[in-house]
Amino acid sequence: MTSTLEQACELDLRGAFRRFYIWCDNAGLWHARPLPKLTAGEVAYGVQRELVADSRLQLAYRCTWQRSRRKVYRYVRQYGAGEPEHDPAS
């Protein structure tokens, strides 16, 4: 039976890293680049070209946030960023 600490160290983070190219540099920092490459519009919207973190768990959180940010950008682009119309008299 494995301890809780061992289980935490062996977290399955594959879902968080979906659609990212992940690597660890010689300094021990974890890096991620989104796949496919970002468009100019996504970069202008605030989606980062590369994510860096001290641990795989931190990187998983950042990748999840980044993927959500890209989804919001695509949603806004598809459905328009206009304010919903409302009648000021009501």
PDB file of all heavy atoms in Angstrom, residues 53-65:
ATOM      1  N   ALA A  53       7.105  26.838 -14.675  1.00  0.00           N
ATOM      2  CA  ALA A  53       6.754  26.596 -13.271  1.00  0.00           C
ATOM      3  C   ALA A  53       7.846  25.778 -12.595  1.00  0.00           C
ATOM      4  O   ALA A  53       8.653  25.121 -13.261  1.00  0.00           O
ATOM      5  CB  ALA A  53       5.417  25.859 -13.190  1.00  0.00           C
ATOM      6  N   ASP A  54       7.843  25.815 -11.273  1.00  0.00           N
ATOM      7  CA  ASP A  54       8.837  25.080 -10.487  1.00  0.00           C
ATOM      8  C   ASP A  54       8.517  23.594 -10.383  1.00  0.00           C
ATOM      9  O   ASP A  54       9.416  22.784 -10.207  1.00  0.00           O
ATOM     10  CB  ASP A  54       8.937  25.657  -9.077  1.00  0.00           C
ATOM     11  CG  ASP A  54       9.505  27.076  -9.078  1.00  0.00           C
ATOM     12  OD1 ASP A  54      10.332  27.376  -9.960  1.00  0.00           O
ATOM     13  OD2 ASP A  54       9.102  27.864  -8.214  1.00  0.00           O
ATOM     14  N   SER A  55       7.238  23.235 -10.462  1.00  0.00           N
ATOM     15  CA  SER A  55       6.854  21.827 -10.303  1.00  0.00           C
ATOM     16  C   SER A  55       5.837  21.442 -11.376  1.00  0.00           C
ATOM     17  O   SER A  55       5.213  22.304 -11.998  1.00  0.00           O
ATOM     18  CB  SER A  55       6.258  21.584  -8.912  1.00  0.00           C
ATOM     19  OG  SER A  55       4.987  22.198  -8.816  1.00  0.00           O
ATOM     20  N   ARG A  56       5.667  20.142 -11.550  1.00  0.00           N
ATOM     21  CA  ARG A  56       4.687  19.654 -12.523  1.00  0.00           C
ATOM     22  C   ARG A  56       3.273  20.053 -12.113  1.00  0.00           C
ATOM     23  O   ARG A  56       2.433  20.349 -12.950  1.00  0.00           O
ATOM     24  CB  ARG A  56       4.777  18.132 -12.640  1.00  0.00           C
ATOM     25  CG  ARG A  56       6.004  17.667 -13.381  1.00  0.00           C
ATOM     26  CD  ARG A  56       6.038  16.152 -13.519  1.00  0.00           C
ATOM     27  NE  ARG A  56       4.952  15.707 -14.366  1.00  0.00           N
ATOM     28  CZ  ARG A  56       4.143  14.695 -14.071  1.00  0.00           C
ATOM     29  NH1 ARG A  56       4.303  13.997 -12.978  1.00  0.00           N
ATOM     30  NH2 ARG A  56       3.175  14.353 -14.897  1.00  0.00           N
ATOM     31  N   LEU A  57       2.997  20.059 -10.811  1.00  0.00           N
ATOM     32  CA  LEU A  57       1.665  20.413 -10.338  1.00  0.00           C
ATOM     33  C   LEU A  57       1.349  21.874 -10.635  1.00  0.00           C
ATOM     34  O   LEU A  57       0.254  22.201 -11.098  1.00  0.00           O
ATOM     35  CB  LEU A  57       1.536  20.126  -8.843  1.00  0.00           C
ATOM     36  CG  LEU A  57       0.154  20.293  -8.242  1.00  0.00           C
ATOM     37  CD1 LEU A  57      -0.853  19.376  -8.949  1.00  0.00           C
ATOM     38  CD2 LEU A  57       0.182  19.993  -6.764  1.00  0.00           C
ATOM     39  N   GLN A  58       2.299  22.770 -10.389  1.00  0.00           N
ATOM     40  CA  GLN A  58       2.107  24.183 -10.725  1.00  0.00           C
ATOM     41  C   GLN A  58       1.905  24.364 -12.226  1.00  0.00           C
ATOM     42  O   GLN A  58       1.064  25.149 -12.659  1.00  0.00           O
ATOM     43  CB  GLN A  58       3.304  25.011 -10.279  1.00  0.00           C
ATOM     44  CG  GLN A  58       3.438  25.181  -8.795  1.00  0.00           C
ATOM     45  CD  GLN A  58       4.710  25.911  -8.419  1.00  0.00           C
ATOM     46  OE1 GLN A  58       5.633  26.033  -9.229  1.00  0.00           O
ATOM     47  NE2 GLN A  58       4.781  26.396  -7.191  1.00  0.00           N
ATOM     48  N   LEU A  59       2.682  23.641 -13.016  1.00  0.00           N
ATOM     49  CA  LEU A  59       2.558  23.737 -14.466  1.00  0.00           C
ATOM     50  C   LEU A  59       1.201  23.207 -14.931  1.00  0.00           C
ATOM     51  O   LEU A  59       0.592  23.779 -15.834  1.00  0.00           O
ATOM     52  CB  LEU A  59       3.691  22.986 -15.159  1.00  0.00           C
ATOM     53  CG  LEU A  59       3.790  23.193 -16.663  1.00  0.00           C
ATOM     54  CD1 LEU A  59       4.057  24.663 -16.993  1.00  0.00           C
ATOM     55  CD2 LEU A  59       4.878  22.319 -17.250  1.00  0.00           C
ATOM     56  N   ALA A  60       0.715  22.154 -14.305  1.00  0.00           N
ATOM     57  CA  ALA A  60      -0.600  21.614 -14.654  1.00  0.00           C
ATOM     58  C   ALA A  60      -1.689  22.656 -14.414  1.00  0.00           C
ATOM     59  O   ALA A  60      -2.595  22.828 -15.240  1.00  0.00           O
ATOM     60  CB  ALA A  60      -0.880  20.358 -13.840  1.00  0.00           C
ATOM     61  N   TYR A  61      -1.607  23.372 -13.302  1.00  0.00           N
ATOM     62  CA  TYR A  61      -2.580  24.425 -13.009  1.00  0.00           C
ATOM     63  C   TYR A  61      -2.516  25.517 -14.077  1.00  0.00           C
ATOM     64  O   TYR A  61      -3.542  25.959 -14.595  1.00  0.00           O
ATOM     65  CB  TYR A  61      -2.308  25.015 -11.620  1.00  0.00           C
ATOM     66  CG  TYR A  61      -3.182  26.186 -11.295  1.00  0.00           C
ATOM     67  CD1 TYR A  61      -4.494  26.003 -10.883  1.00  0.00           C
ATOM     68  CD2 TYR A  61      -2.714  27.488 -11.430  1.00  0.00           C
ATOM     69  CE1 TYR A  61      -5.313  27.085 -10.603  1.00  0.00           C
ATOM     70  CE2 TYR A  61      -3.525  28.574 -11.153  1.00  0.00           C
ATOM     71  CZ  TYR A  61      -4.812  28.362 -10.734  1.00  0.00           C
ATOM     72  OH  TYR A  61      -5.612  29.435 -10.469  1.00  0.00           O
ATOM     73  N   ARG A  62      -1.307  25.945 -14.426  1.00  0.00           N
ATOM     74  CA  ARG A  62      -1.148  27.007 -15.423  1.00  0.00           C
ATOM     75  C   ARG A  62      -1.622  26.566 -16.805  1.00  0.00           C
ATOM     76  O   ARG A  62      -2.219  27.344 -17.537  1.00  0.00           O
ATOM     77  CB  ARG A  62       0.300  27.462 -15.473  1.00  0.00           C
ATOM     78  CG  ARG A  62       0.687  28.200 -14.208  1.00  0.00           C
ATOM     79  CD  ARG A  62       2.098  28.666 -14.200  1.00  0.00           C
ATOM     80  NE  ARG A  62       2.353  29.320 -12.921  1.00  0.00           N
ATOM     81  CZ  ARG A  62       3.529  29.711 -12.530  1.00  0.00           C
ATOM     82  NH1 ARG A  62       4.575  29.528 -13.313  1.00  0.00           N
ATOM     83  NH2 ARG A  62       3.686  30.286 -11.363  1.00  0.00           N
ATOM     84  N   CYS A  63      -1.357  25.310 -17.158  1.00  0.00           N
ATOM     85  CA  CYS A  63      -1.815  24.793 -18.453  1.00  0.00           C
ATOM     86  C   CYS A  63      -3.333  24.743 -18.515  1.00  0.00           C
ATOM     87  O   CYS A  63      -3.940  25.089 -19.537  1.00  0.00           O
ATOM     88  CB  CYS A  63      -1.235  23.406 -18.707  1.00  0.00           C
ATOM     89  SG  CYS A  63       0.514  23.399 -19.111  1.00  0.00           S
ATOM     90  N   THR A  64      -3.960  24.341 -17.415  1.00  0.00           N
ATOM     91  CA  THR A  64      -5.420  24.283 -17.367  1.00  0.00           C
ATOM     92  C   THR A  64      -6.011  25.681 -17.518  1.00  0.00           C
ATOM     93  O   THR A  64      -6.959  25.897 -18.273  1.00  0.00           O
ATOM     94  CB  THR A  64      -5.889  23.636 -16.052  1.00  0.00           C
ATOM     95  OG1 THR A  64      -5.322  22.335 -15.960  1.00  0.00           O
ATOM     96  CG2 THR A  64      -7.393  23.535 -15.991  1.00  0.00           C
ATOM     97  N   TRP A  65      -5.432  26.649 -16.818  1.00  0.00           N
ATOM     98  CA  TRP A  65      -5.897  28.028 -16.933  1.00  0.00           C
ATOM     99  C   TRP A  65      -5.708  28.540 -18.355  1.00  0.00           C
ATOM    100  O   TRP A  65      -6.581  29.184 -18.924  1.00  0.00           O
ATOM    101  CB  TRP A  65      -5.131  28.912 -15.943  1.00  0.00           C
ATOM    102  CG  TRP A  65      -5.537  30.342 -16.014  1.00  0.00           C
ATOM    103  CD1 TRP A  65      -6.550  30.944 -15.334  1.00  0.00           C
ATOM    104  CD2 TRP A  65      -4.951  31.359 -16.835  1.00  0.00           C
ATOM    105  NE1 TRP A  65      -6.618  32.274 -15.686  1.00  0.00           N
ATOM    106  CE2 TRP A  65      -5.653  32.551 -16.599  1.00  0.00           C
ATOM    107  CE3 TRP A  65      -3.900  31.362 -17.743  1.00  0.00           C
ATOM    108  CZ2 TRP A  65      -5.339  33.736 -17.241  1.00  0.00           C
ATOM    109  CZ3 TRP A  65      -3.586  32.556 -18.389  1.00  0.00           C
ATOM    110  CH2 TRP A  65      -4.305  33.723 -18.126  1.00  0.00           C
TER     111      TRP A  65
END
